[in-house]
Amino acid sequence: MNGFLNVLKPPGMTSAAVVAVVRRLTGEKRVGHAGTLDPEAAGVLPVMIGKAARLFDYLVDKEKIYVAEVAFGTATDTQDATGTVTARGDNYPSREAIAQAAQQLTGHILQRPSMYSAIKQDGTPMYERARRGETVEVPLRQVWVESIALGEEMPDHGMMLTVHCGKGTYIRSICNDMGDIVGCPAHMRFLLRAKSGVFDLSTAITLEEAAALAEKGELGHHLLALDMPIGHLPRLDVPPFLEKQVVNGVKLPAKKIRGAAELAEDTPVRLYMKGEFWGMAVRQGEELVWKALLAPDEANQPGQ
């Protein structure tokens, strides 16, 4: 089985646990996720199966969309509902005040995530050190927030938010900082990742749905094609007379492939032959050099 499975991860489950379930359902050892989602969060978790794992470096996951609930009245050490309360307040903000705070938290902003984050320091995740009782000083980091739209007001002083942001943005830190701005402690009560790169809720399936498909032998039909998430990269079509070189994974003459000679050095490119995706290469001098040779296997192609 080769391709991407867009899993709708439930809350309370780690990304690693999702990978373990998919590995069992597919019988494929080469399974990994393309971007961690916090255990308490739900939403889109792209899972790479088989040859798809070799395309990890070419995926674009900079664009994220989250739906979150910010809850005013308490702040926690984890900045979400799983943590210990560190501050309380009852100066609950108006919708207008929250909207103004949201404006201050858009654009290039500095964040200091919770010490219970997956950010690594000296190779160790911060949360592991925090759970050992160590005092962890998390450095400020710059992130990009495209927009924060206010949604429905929720019970117990909550407000739904839709956040369009870049990679590495901590939504729980946005909720915490929003509380600081309006003068009322706050934390993140709920989080759903609605989009990660090209993966969104429209193609996501639950693990229960995946298990039912696997039982009927149909899970492979629901995998997303290997080249689906890398359509942002240039495509070149290799002429059939170079088939032997392609099959053997040897360097290809750039001048024999339309458009190859014009490529900038080391630009990743998708290579196709007879309409089938064969993998990734870069131009080095007068040749195209393979970076990931993924010979098509008709028996394992999505939709076959």
Side-chain angles (χ1 to χ4, degrees):
M1 249 185 229
N2 301 295
F4 293 86
L5 187 65
N6 188 12
V7 175
L8 182 59
K9 189 187 86 65
M13 190 176 195
T14 66
S15 300
V18 171
V19 167
V21 172
V22 174
R23 186 177 289 122
R24 175 175 56 80
L25 293 178
T26 61
E28 175 62 61
K29 294 181 179 179
R30 299 169 298 171
V31 179
H33 59 77
T36 303
L37 189 56
D38 285 347
E40 73 277 4
V44 169
L45 181 69
V47 177
M48 307 172 292
I49 300 172
K51 296 175 182 178
R54 300 187 62 194
L55 297 172
F56 177 78
D57 291 340
Y58 304 103
L59 302 180
V60 171
D61 61 350
K62 293 179 180 179
E63 182 185 1
K64 312 275 190 178
I65 299 178
Y66 292 93
V67 177
E69 180 186 0
V70 55
F72 295 95
T74 56
T76 71
D77 56 359
T78 60
Q79 300 179 340
D80 61 25
T82 67
T84 301
V85 174
T86 58
R88 297 182 185 275
D90 56 7
N91 184 30
Y92 304 116
S94 65
R95 187 180 185 91
E96 291 72 23
I98 298 172
Q100 290 176 9
Q103 288 184 341
Q104 294 184 46
L105 291 169
T106 56
H108 290 289
I109 64 170
L110 292 176
Q111 283 191 331
R112 193 185 302 278
S114 162
M115 60 183 178
Y116 289 90
S117 69
I119 298 171
K120 291 186 177 181
Q121 190 176 72
D122 299 325
T124 302
M126 294 285 193
Y127 65 81
E128 288 188 9
R129 297 181 56 190
R131 288 170 182 168
R132 293 198 295 260
E134 299 179 31
T135 300
V136 180
E137 179 67 22
V138 184
L140 284 169
R141 40 196 275 148
Q142 186 180 79
V143 296
W144 169 255
V145 179
E146 178 69 29
S147 65
I148 302 176
L150 273 56
E152 184 181 357
E153 293 185 24
M154 305 300 289
D156 298 322
H157 311 290
M159 177 71 72
M160 297 304 297
L161 309 172
T162 299
V163 183
H164 291 239
C165 61
K167 183 178 180 180
T169 305
Y170 273 77
I171 307 303
R172 47 183 160 149
S173 294
I174 287 178
C175 295
N176 178 84
D177 295 348
M178 190 171 283
D180 289 341
I181 292 172
V182 301
C184 182
H187 67 275
M188 184 184 74
R189 186 182 284 158
F190 166 83
L191 180 65
L192 170 74
R193 183 161 68 187
K195 183 174 183 178
S196 179
V198 299
F199 299 94
D200 60 27
L201 293 174
S202 68
T203 57
I205 64 173
T206 66
L207 288 174
E208 290 77 12
E209 290 171 327
L213 290 167
E215 188 174 350
K216 294 187 292 185
E218 298 177 358
L219 184 57
H221 299 292
H222 288 263
L223 296 188
L224 303 173
L226 289 171
D227 58 345
M228 189 280 284
I230 55 174
H232 59 285
L233 296 172
R235 166 178 174 157
L236 293 179
D237 289 273
V238 181
F241 66 81
L242 292 175
E243 181 172 0
K244 183 176 181 180
Q245 290 94 317
V246 171
V247 171
N248 292 324
V250 300
K251 297 177 181 178
L252 304 173
K255 64 182 180 180
K256 298 291 185 180
I257 303 171
R258 180 178 296 177
E262 290 75 35
L263 279 176
E265 286 269 345
D266 296 319
T267 298
V269 61
R270 298 173 291 142
L271 289 187
Y272 292 75
M273 186 174 63
K274 300 178 181 178
E276 293 185 304
F277 176 57
W278 275 81
M280 304 299 301
V282 297
R283 184 177 72 80
Q284 294 180 355
E286 300 300 317
E287 297 173 315
L288 288 180
V289 179
W290 290 99
K291 291 298 181 181
L293 180 63
L294 310 173
D297 182 351
E298 292 185 3
N300 288 326
Q301 288 296 303
Q304 296 295 320

